[in-house]
Amino acid sequence: MTTTRTQVAIVGAGPAGLLLSHLLHRSGIDSVVIDIRSRHDIATTIRAGILEAGSVRTLVDTGVSDRVITDGDRHDGVVFRFGGENHRIDFQELVGESVWLYPQNDVFADLAARRETDGGDVRYGVSDTAVDTSGARPVVSFIDSDGSPGRIEADLVVGSDGSRSICRKAFPAGTRGEWFREYPFAWFGFLAEAPPSHPELIYAQSEHGFALVSQRTPTMQRMYFQCAPGERPEDWDDDRIWAEMRRRVNGNGFEIQEGPISAKMVLPFRSFVTAPMRYGRLLLAGDAAHTVPPTGAKGLNLALADVRVLHEAIIDFLAGAGDEALDRYTERALDRVWKAQHFSYWMTTMLHSVEGASPFDIARQRGELALVTGSRHGAAYLAEAYTGWQQAA
Ligand code: PHB
């Protein structure tokens, strides 16, 4: 058994865990990061693709990488398509901000490379991770990728270990609340080998259900369409998928670019929050503490925002500010979390079709879309939320 002493043990080496480790390193604070997945598995898992302006600033200004600027695609607006027409919301004109199309895989690759260059202790492919909260300080135990048992003793443990978080489960019974909502649908996601259909993202509402036309590279595109939660990717061949996309998106001279399909998956929809995001010296960040449906592209951005405020709280705590500094993290993070919960829920209900919806509900939904795209104030509300709110003090 090898025991490692560090200031902060981080469980989960996705973007949240690695960004925290990077920011702490820049502040002279040691950390050890562990993950049960291999570096290759994390790097090749397809996830979201949109970064808020603040997420981009964090990556660039803290020296992670400039690749988001050089290789990413700046989007100054987004398109809502309904009634067979495109309605563009101009972020720059409305709120002076943009978002960047830069996939989560690339965010991970940049962070992993930066941590490696800076000599960070990141251990991929561990197993049997456990967090013991019974002592004065939490202890993380695990089996290293070479089979040897390890133990990390730290001042603080951070669980950035995703929606199935073992750190969340290590909170003793009764020490946190849960808020959640299920939805009667899911997204069918896939990659298409084709040129982009449009320079910006298209969120399409139609009587046949929602569809999203996103992008990846000049020759590879990412798309999604609303489906039943129990749908199986193997039941959908390319023809069936394109037929579904066409009837939801094409019309009035607009046609999506088609091509061979790969990476088919069904994404579950769930809104979830747990709070407080800390028990003693164990803290949660990102999906471990909250999940949002993907419609607002908020999941990754929210995780990075958690980490920015957690980094400040950890500095204060290690400087002697006491538990108050850690409680302040939960309060500050939750302020944004609930805004993002509302935004993701709202985008979802505004764009998806619900089976058995009344004629009133269907017409009301169209009225909502007309308001958001047709009113300057409605559009600015969406633009501010989509590009990311300023951090409250
Ligand atoms: C994506 O490109 O994967 C993507 C973009 C916007 C979303 C969700 C996913 O809202």
Side-chain angles (χ1 to χ4, degrees):
M1 170 80 74
T2 316
T3 298
T4 309
R5 271 284 312 158
T6 188
Q7 288 171 291
V8 183
I10 301 172
V11 182
L18 291 186
L19 176 65
L20 180 62
S21 178
H22 168 71
L23 295 180
L24 292 173
H25 168 74
R26 282 170 47 92
S27 304
I29 298 168
D30 280 340
S31 64
V32 176
V33 189
I34 60 168
D35 201 298
I36 53 172
R37 298 166 296 174
S38 70
R39 183 166 171 174
H40 178 264
D41 278 354
I42 309 175
T44 54
T45 305
I46 299 175
R47 301 288 296 270
I50 291 288
L51 291 182
E52 292 174 359
S55 299
V56 170
R57 279 192 285 273
T58 298
L59 295 176
V60 174
D61 295 353
T62 71
V64 174
S65 171
D66 290 340
R67 229 161 52 91
V68 52
I69 303 293
T70 56
D71 297 15
D73 243 328
R74 198 185 83 207
H75 286 198
D76 295 341
V78 69
V79 169
F80 284 76
R81 185 171 171 84
F82 56 94
E85 301 286 348
N86 284 354
H87 304 261
R88 179 169 189 264
I89 293 187
D90 188 329
F91 301 150
Q92 271 299 334
E93 196 233 327
L94 291 160
V95 294
E97 286 284 13
S98 299
V99 295
W100 272 256
L101 185 97
Y102 191 66
Q104 179 163 333
N105 317 52
D106 289 293
V107 175
F108 169 77
D110 293 346
L111 282 161
R114 170 56 56 203
R115 283 284 55 220
E116 195 172 359
T117 307
D118 290 343
D121 188 345
V122 183
R123 306 184 196 185
Y124 301 97
V126 308
S127 55
D128 293 5
T129 313
V131 179
D132 178 0
T133 56
S134 60
R137 288 176 183 181
V139 174
V140 178
S141 58
F142 61 98
I143 310 283
D144 225 324
S145 58
D146 64 7
S148 59
R151 212 178 119 84
I152 307 173
E153 290 177 5
D155 297 319
L156 295 169
V157 174
V158 174
S160 48
D161 52 343
S163 55
R164 291 196 210 102
S165 173
I166 62 124
C167 293
R168 185 175 72 232
K169 286 168 196 139
F171 279 50
T175 58
R176 59 180 179 84
E178 285 191 353
W179 293 260
F180 65 91
R181 184 192 169 92
E182 315 269 0
Y183 298 82
F185 40 73
W187 275 9
F188 192 105
F190 61 94
L191 284 175
E193 212 182 307
S197 299
H198 196 75
E200 293 171 343
L201 267 61
I202 301 177
Y203 286 81
Q205 184 266 351
S206 83
E207 58 175 318
H208 304 291
F210 170 75
L212 171 60
V213 181
S214 183
Q215 301 139 4
R216 283 298 178 266
T217 68
T219 56
M220 193 62 88
Q221 313 312 321
R222 184 79 173 143
M223 302 186 199
Y224 304 89
F225 62 88
Q226 174 187 352
C227 69
E231 212 63 72
R232 297 183 320 167
E234 57 272 29
D235 293 339
W236 289 78
D237 62 15
D238 290 19
D239 288 344
R240 188 174 176 209
I241 290 171
W242 287 124
E244 200 54 52
M245 288 300 291
R246 271 180 230 132
R247 61 186 199 131
R248 296 181 190 206
V249 181
N250 286 4
N252 287 342
F254 181 80
E255 284 183 6
I256 32 175
Q257 300 281 331
E258 302 178 14
I261 286 173
S262 59
K264 297 183 277 187
M265 62 182 75
V266 173
L267 285 76
F269 260 59
R270 197 158 190 258
S271 297
F272 171 77
V273 178
T274 190
M277 290 161 67
R278 94 160 172 116
Y279 170 73
R281 291 174 172 215
L282 171 62
L283 302 127
L284 302 177
D287 280 2
H290 42 74
T291 50
V292 287
T295 324
K298 282 283 170 262
L300 171 58
N301 293 296
L302 211 45
L304 301 182
D306 277 358
V307 166
R308 284 196 298 262
V309 287
L310 178 54
H311 165 235
E312 291 174 14
I314 291 176
I315 292 177
D316 292 346
F317 178 78
L318 293 176
D323 285 6
E324 240 170 72
L326 304 181
D327 285 334
R328 195 89 186 97
Y329 159 61
T330 280
E331 275 169 41
R332 290 183 73 199
L334 283 172
D335 175 69
R336 177 181 291 261
V337 164
W338 280 111
K339 287 176 186 162
Q341 285 293 351
H342 169 67
F343 178 65
S344 307
Y345 160 89
W346 173 65
M347 283 277 282
T348 300
T349 54
M350 181 166 65
L351 289 162
H352 288 69
S353 308
V354 184
E355 218 174 75
S358 70
F360 176 88
D361 286 338
I362 292 166
R364 186 206 55 77
Q365 189 185 41
R366 184 62 71 81
E368 188 173 20
L369 280 163
L371 258 178
V372 167
T373 56
S375 135
R376 184 174 176 85
H377 298 287
Y381 173 79
L382 188 135
E384 182 193 33
Y386 198 91
T387 57
W389 306 279
Q390 300 294 315
Q391 180 61 48

